[in-house]
Amino acid sequence: MTTAEFRPTHVIPQDGLHAWETPDPSRPTVPLDALLPVQLIDRLGDWGRVLCANGWSAWVDGRLLVAVPQEPPAAGSPLTRTADPRPLLARVEEALSRYRGAAEDLAAGRLDGQSFRGRTQGQRIGVIVDGESLWLYDGEHERWVYCDGTRLSTYAEGQAPAAAAQEPVREEAPVGREPTRVVTYDEDNRSDL
């Protein structure tokens, strides 16, 4: 029986995982099956207390849990103005190329540390590729997007996306950035993105 509010945050590693009644190695319980979805509900050092869909909980080595991201937006949701992944992929590729060029110049002695910082300051890129799934950081709109190969959907964004900038922001340190948050389906369908 599954509890109605159960939403997995992690899965058990593919080799299964030992479990304990309390965060004490002398009190083992039944091991957890491989790839079992669980919800991490408590932490105590390296220990993690997980809740299973049937309501049973146990303590495990929290370092070994495999995090499950929020599901990407549903394929049926309306397309946004960044639906085509190719322009963002090109911007990420260009930013990575600029960074690689600066790093090569630094390694070859053509740049000093201060010049390297000046050439790379303000660049923010992020890419996670997992098989056919791709997550990209869209620095222009300060959000993460999910790509299924054909289109982009907002996955997570700052509290208040910044207006598109013509030039990279040149600041000494990230100041006043809003924390990243996961976007719910209703928010993903807003027209102001």
Side-chain angles (χ1 to χ4, degrees), residues 9-115:
T9 59
H10 294 77
V11 294
I12 300 301
Q14 65 185 23
D15 295 329
L17 197 58
H18 294 289
W20 292 268
E21 291 178 17
T22 62
D24 178 358
S26 67
R27 303 206 43 195
T29 187
V30 178
L32 297 172
D33 293 333
L35 305 177
L36 176 72
V38 296
Q39 186 178 48
L40 181 63
I41 57 175
D42 199 6
R43 280 256 190 213
L44 183 62
D46 291 338
W47 291 94
R49 188 166 67 116
V50 295
L51 176 67
C52 300
N54 65 3
W56 186 75
S57 70
W59 287 89
V60 298
D61 183 343
R63 300 170 299 176
L64 302 176
L65 293 171
V66 179
V68 175
Q70 298 279 334
E71 287 193 27
S77 61
L79 298 176
T80 64
R81 63 186 162 122
T82 60
D84 184 357
R86 293 172 293 181
L88 181 55
L89 285 167
R91 287 196 310 268
V92 168
E93 186 177 7
E94 290 167 8
L96 183 58
S97 179
R98 284 192 308 270
Y99 186 90
R100 183 178 50 235
E104 288 174 0
D105 287 348
L106 179 65
R110 293 186 294 266
L111 278 180
D112 61 14
Q114 175 113 6
S115 299

Side-chain angles (χ1 to χ4, degrees), residues 85 88-99 122-130 133-140 142-147 152 155-156:
L88 181 55
L89 285 167
R91 287 196 310 268
V92 168
E93 186 177 7
E94 290 167 8
L96 183 58
S97 179
R98 284 192 308 270
Y99 186 90
Q123 288 192 18
R124 297 186 74 203
I125 60 172
V127 178
I128 300 171
V129 178
D130 185 16
S133 298
L134 173 72
W135 288 265
L136 294 169
Y137 181 73
D138 179 358
E140 186 175 308
E142 295 185 9
R143 64 181 173 180
W144 280 92
V145 293
Y146 171 78
C147 179
L152 297 176
Y155 178 70

